[in-house]
Amino acid sequence: MEPAFQRGDILFLNNSVEQVGVGDVVVFKIKDREIPIVHRILKVHTKPDGVVELLTKGDNNRVDDRGLYAPGQLWLERQDILGKATGTLRYVGCVTIALNDYPVLRYVMIGMMGLFVLTSKEEKETTQQVCHIMEGHSICSGDSITYSDDVEQLQLEDIVSMIVRGWNEQTQ
């Protein structure tokens, strides 16, 4: 759909629009074809029963799209339209195109990410010391916790159980 859109542009579509008009850029899918097409509406034909039919044409094409439609199909119907283009992100889709066109690039990127994960080091989290006073004993959280009376190192599970026991004794 050049020159309006280039290969690699990402289109934003709106399918909630009931009516589309001449000049609107739409994405449509033809029966028995896998790839949708982005073209501009050239003509709108309304039948007496209210059914709207559309004729499209690419900006760079000399003739309308009737040659692209399914055999015997002269017009597109509303159910053929996937959506109306409402916006675009230029060149963002080039990344996926490159990864699909050059599979080696995909493996190089995966390898680089794996190497990054293997060589990165986790930095130690610094923790703020929080002290609780329970029955005259102070218990502080951190890497190593010191019980103030016996000056012994306690494990985190011991500290949690002491806090729970102290809490239960206070609430009774």
Side-chain angles (χ1 to χ4, degrees):
M1 186 52 201
E2 294 179 1
F5 304 111
Q6 306 293 325
R7 183 175 189 244
D9 292 352
I10 293 180
L11 292 178
F12 294 100
L13 302 179
N14 184 356
N15 197 19
S16 64
V17 177
E18 288 293 323
Q19 294 182 358
V20 288
V22 174
D24 290 342
V25 176
V26 294
V27 178
F28 60 93
K29 188 165 181 327
I30 299 170
K31 297 170 187 120
D32 301 327
R33 293 217 181 156
E34 292 183 26
I35 300 174
I37 299 172
V38 180
H39 280 175
R40 196 175 302 276
I41 296 176
L42 183 65
K43 290 182 185 176
V44 177
H45 175 73
T46 306
K47 288 183 173 181
D49 60 356
V51 175
V52 177
E53 295 178 325
L54 308 166
L55 180 64
T56 57
K57 176 185 170 294
D59 286 354
N60 236 3
N61 298 345
R62 292 183 186 190
V63 296
D64 60 41
D65 289 341
R66 285 190 174 143
L68 296 176
Y69 298 162
Q73 183 180 7
L74 298 177
W75 300 87
L76 291 176
E77 295 180 359
R78 182 63 180 108
Q79 66 259 19
D80 297 324
I81 305 294
L82 299 177
K84 175 182 171 182
T86 58
T88 182
L89 283 176
R90 296 272 186 207
Y91 308 113
V92 176
C94 288
V95 174
T96 58
I97 291 172
L99 292 175
N100 285 330
D101 288 351
Y102 306 103
V104 173
L105 182 62
R106 187 178 335 158
Y107 297 121
V108 168
M109 285 186 63
I110 291 171
M112 287 175 44
M113 288 188 290
L115 186 62
F116 178 74
V117 168
L118 292 175
T119 60
S120 67
K121 295 180 181 177
E122 283 189 33
E123 292 188 22
K124 191 175 182 182
E125 264 187 46
T126 57
T127 56
Q128 187 179 17
Q129 270 199 333
V130 179
C131 297
H132 301 281
I133 298 178
M134 234 176 17
E135 301 176 15
H137 307 291
S138 65
I139 300 173
C140 299
S141 65
D143 286 338
S144 61
I145 308 300
T146 305
Y147 186 69
S148 61
D149 284 348
D150 298 327
V151 191
E152 67 180 68
Q153 298 292 324
L154 298 176
Q155 297 293 325
L156 184 60
E157 297 86 23
D158 298 329
I159 296 168
V160 171
S161 65
M162 288 175 65
I163 292 172
V164 170
R165 266 188 273 131
W167 178 261
N168 287 338
E169 290 173 9
Q170 287 178 359
T171 58
Q172 291 177 348

PDB file of all heavy atoms in Angstrom, residues 53-67:
ATOM      1  N   GLU A  53     -21.671  -2.842  -0.551  1.00  0.00           N
ATOM      2  CA  GLU A  53     -20.580  -3.525  -1.227  1.00  0.00           C
ATOM      3  C   GLU A  53     -19.481  -2.506  -1.508  1.00  0.00           C
ATOM      4  O   GLU A  53     -19.755  -1.345  -1.767  1.00  0.00           O
ATOM      5  CB  GLU A  53     -21.064  -4.156  -2.537  1.00  0.00           C
ATOM      6  CG  GLU A  53     -22.079  -5.259  -2.330  1.00  0.00           C
ATOM      7  CD  GLU A  53     -22.573  -5.842  -3.636  1.00  0.00           C
ATOM      8  OE1 GLU A  53     -22.712  -5.091  -4.629  1.00  0.00           O
ATOM      9  OE2 GLU A  53     -22.828  -7.059  -3.660  1.00  0.00           O
ATOM     10  N   LEU A  54     -18.239  -2.993  -1.448  1.00  0.00           N
ATOM     11  CA  LEU A  54     -17.096  -2.098  -1.577  1.00  0.00           C
ATOM     12  C   LEU A  54     -16.173  -2.557  -2.690  1.00  0.00           C
ATOM     13  O   LEU A  54     -16.005  -3.750  -2.915  1.00  0.00           O
ATOM     14  CB  LEU A  54     -16.309  -2.085  -0.256  1.00  0.00           C
ATOM     15  CG  LEU A  54     -17.111  -1.815   1.011  1.00  0.00           C
ATOM     16  CD1 LEU A  54     -16.302  -2.163   2.229  1.00  0.00           C
ATOM     17  CD2 LEU A  54     -17.549  -0.369   1.047  1.00  0.00           C
ATOM     18  N   LEU A  55     -15.555  -1.594  -3.350  1.00  0.00           N
ATOM     19  CA  LEU A  55     -14.532  -1.859  -4.353  1.00  0.00           C
ATOM     20  C   LEU A  55     -13.267  -1.163  -3.880  1.00  0.00           C
ATOM     21  O   LEU A  55     -13.295   0.017  -3.521  1.00  0.00           O
ATOM     22  CB  LEU A  55     -14.959  -1.331  -5.725  1.00  0.00           C
ATOM     23  CG  LEU A  55     -13.970  -1.545  -6.870  1.00  0.00           C
ATOM     24  CD1 LEU A  55     -13.777  -3.043  -7.139  1.00  0.00           C
ATOM     25  CD2 LEU A  55     -14.444  -0.840  -8.131  1.00  0.00           C
ATOM     26  N   THR A  56     -12.163  -1.892  -3.863  1.00  0.00           N
ATOM     27  CA  THR A  56     -10.912  -1.340  -3.347  1.00  0.00           C
ATOM     28  C   THR A  56      -9.863  -1.249  -4.449  1.00  0.00           C
ATOM     29  O   THR A  56      -9.991  -1.860  -5.508  1.00  0.00           O
ATOM     30  CB  THR A  56     -10.362  -2.223  -2.204  1.00  0.00           C
ATOM     31  OG1 THR A  56     -10.192  -3.554  -2.686  1.00  0.00           O
ATOM     32  CG2 THR A  56     -11.286  -2.216  -1.010  1.00  0.00           C
ATOM     33  N   LYS A  57      -8.801  -0.490  -4.131  1.00  0.00           N
ATOM     34  CA  LYS A  57      -7.694  -0.332  -5.071  1.00  0.00           C
ATOM     35  C   LYS A  57      -6.463   0.082  -4.271  1.00  0.00           C
ATOM     36  O   LYS A  57      -6.548   0.898  -3.360  1.00  0.00           O
ATOM     37  CB  LYS A  57      -8.033   0.750  -6.101  1.00  0.00           C
ATOM     38  CG  LYS A  57      -6.926   1.079  -7.077  1.00  0.00           C
ATOM     39  CD  LYS A  57      -7.361   2.242  -7.964  1.00  0.00           C
ATOM     40  CE  LYS A  57      -6.243   2.782  -8.797  1.00  0.00           C
ATOM     41  NZ  LYS A  57      -5.178   3.420  -8.051  1.00  0.00           N
ATOM     42  N   GLY A  58      -5.323  -0.487  -4.616  1.00  0.00           N
ATOM     43  CA  GLY A  58      -4.071  -0.068  -4.000  1.00  0.00           C
ATOM     44  C   GLY A  58      -3.630   1.272  -4.553  1.00  0.00           C
ATOM     45  O   GLY A  58      -3.869   1.575  -5.723  1.00  0.00           O
ATOM     46  N   ASP A  59      -3.002   2.082  -3.716  1.00  0.00           N
ATOM     47  CA  ASP A  59      -2.574   3.424  -4.151  1.00  0.00           C
ATOM     48  C   ASP A  59      -1.593   3.374  -5.313  1.00  0.00           C
ATOM     49  O   ASP A  59      -1.565   4.264  -6.156  1.00  0.00           O
ATOM     50  CB  ASP A  59      -1.918   4.173  -2.983  1.00  0.00           C
ATOM     51  CG  ASP A  59      -2.935   4.640  -1.951  1.00  0.00           C
ATOM     52  OD1 ASP A  59      -4.142   4.496  -2.191  1.00  0.00           O
ATOM     53  OD2 ASP A  59      -2.508   5.144  -0.899  1.00  0.00           O
ATOM     54  N   ASN A  60      -0.796   2.332  -5.392  1.00  0.00           N
ATOM     55  CA  ASN A  60       0.228   2.219  -6.422  1.00  0.00           C
ATOM     56  C   ASN A  60      -0.234   1.406  -7.628  1.00  0.00           C
ATOM     57  O   ASN A  60       0.538   1.192  -8.546  1.00  0.00           O
ATOM     58  CB  ASN A  60       1.486   1.580  -5.823  1.00  0.00           C
ATOM     59  CG  ASN A  60       2.707   2.430  -6.009  1.00  0.00           C
ATOM     60  OD1 ASN A  60       2.639   3.533  -6.530  1.00  0.00           O
ATOM     61  ND2 ASN A  60       3.835   1.907  -5.598  1.00  0.00           N
ATOM     62  N   ASN A  61      -1.488   0.932  -7.606  1.00  0.00           N
ATOM     63  CA  ASN A  61      -2.000   0.093  -8.696  1.00  0.00           C
ATOM     64  C   ASN A  61      -2.753   0.943  -9.717  1.00  0.00           C
ATOM     65  O   ASN A  61      -3.371   1.949  -9.375  1.00  0.00           O
ATOM     66  CB  ASN A  61      -2.932  -0.992  -8.149  1.00  0.00           C
ATOM     67  CG  ASN A  61      -2.216  -1.925  -7.190  1.00  0.00           C
ATOM     68  OD1 ASN A  61      -1.001  -1.953  -7.123  1.00  0.00           O
ATOM     69  ND2 ASN A  61      -2.993  -2.674  -6.434  1.00  0.00           N
ATOM     70  N   ARG A  62      -2.741   0.496 -10.966  1.00  0.00           N
ATOM     71  CA  ARG A  62      -3.444   1.224 -12.029  1.00  0.00           C
ATOM     72  C   ARG A  62      -4.931   0.885 -12.091  1.00  0.00           C
ATOM     73  O   ARG A  62      -5.735   1.694 -12.507  1.00  0.00           O
ATOM     74  CB  ARG A  62      -2.821   0.903 -13.385  1.00  0.00           C
ATOM     75  CG  ARG A  62      -1.441   1.432 -13.541  1.00  0.00           C
ATOM     76  CD  ARG A  62      -0.939   1.141 -14.918  1.00  0.00           C
ATOM     77  NE  ARG A  62       0.462   1.521 -15.023  1.00  0.00           N
ATOM     78  CZ  ARG A  62       1.109   1.563 -16.149  1.00  0.00           C
ATOM     79  NH1 ARG A  62       0.505   1.256 -17.272  1.00  0.00           N
ATOM     80  NH2 ARG A  62       2.370   1.916 -16.166  1.00  0.00           N
ATOM     81  N   VAL A  63      -5.275  -0.352 -11.706  1.00  0.00           N
ATOM     82  CA  VAL A  63      -6.669  -0.798 -11.799  1.00  0.00           C
ATOM     83  C   VAL A  63      -7.170  -1.203 -10.429  1.00  0.00           C
ATOM     84  O   VAL A  63      -6.404  -1.402  -9.489  1.00  0.00           O
ATOM     85  CB  VAL A  63      -6.815  -1.984 -12.785  1.00  0.00           C
ATOM     86  CG1 VAL A  63      -6.462  -1.548 -14.195  1.00  0.00           C
ATOM     87  CG2 VAL A  63      -5.957  -3.149 -12.358  1.00  0.00           C
ATOM     88  N   ASP A  64      -8.501  -1.373 -10.329  1.00  0.00           N
ATOM     89  CA  ASP A  64      -9.094  -1.783  -9.057  1.00  0.00           C
ATOM     90  C   ASP A  64      -8.731  -3.230  -8.725  1.00  0.00           C
ATOM     91  O   ASP A  64      -8.049  -3.908  -9.491  1.00  0.00           O
ATOM     92  CB  ASP A  64     -10.613  -1.573  -9.089  1.00  0.00           C
ATOM     93  CG  ASP A  64     -11.292  -2.370 -10.192  1.00  0.00           C
ATOM     94  OD1 ASP A  64     -10.921  -3.537 -10.411  1.00  0.00           O
ATOM     95  OD2 ASP A  64     -12.213  -1.828 -10.836  1.00  0.00           O
ATOM     96  N   ASP A  65      -9.202  -3.705  -7.579  1.00  0.00           N
ATOM     97  CA  ASP A  65      -8.805  -5.016  -7.053  1.00  0.00           C
ATOM     98  C   ASP A  65      -9.668  -6.187  -7.518  1.00  0.00           C
ATOM     99  O   ASP A  65      -9.517  -7.289  -6.992  1.00  0.00           O
ATOM    100  CB  ASP A  65      -8.826  -4.984  -5.521  1.00  0.00           C
ATOM    101  CG  ASP A  65      -7.714  -4.144  -4.944  1.00  0.00           C
ATOM    102  OD1 ASP A  65      -6.728  -3.888  -5.660  1.00  0.00           O
ATOM    103  OD2 ASP A  65      -7.819  -3.744  -3.776  1.00  0.00           O
ATOM    104  N   ARG A  66     -10.540  -5.995  -8.474  1.00  0.00           N
ATOM    105  CA  ARG A  66     -11.407  -7.101  -8.894  1.00  0.00           C
ATOM    106  C   ARG A  66     -10.606  -8.314  -9.360  1.00  0.00           C
ATOM    107  O   ARG A  66     -11.034  -9.440  -9.221  1.00  0.00           O
ATOM    108  CB  ARG A  66     -12.368  -6.642  -9.987  1.00  0.00           C
ATOM    109  CG  ARG A  66     -13.471  -5.792  -9.410  1.00  0.00           C
ATOM    110  CD  ARG A  66     -14.564  -5.510 -10.400  1.00  0.00           C
ATOM    111  NE  ARG A  66     -15.651  -4.812  -9.728  1.00  0.00           N
ATOM    112  CZ  ARG A  66     -16.362  -3.858 -10.275  1.00  0.00           C
ATOM    113  NH1 ARG A  66     -16.134  -3.485 -11.521  1.00  0.00           N
ATOM    114  NH2 ARG A  66     -17.324  -3.288  -9.593  1.00  0.00           N
ATOM    115  N   GLY A  67      -9.429  -8.098  -9.874  1.00  0.00           N
ATOM    116  CA  GLY A  67      -8.561  -9.208 -10.280  1.00  0.00           C
ATOM    117  C   GLY A  67      -8.008  -9.982  -9.093  1.00  0.00           C
ATOM    118  O   GLY A  67      -7.580 -11.124  -9.235  1.00  0.00           O
TER     119      GLY A  67
END
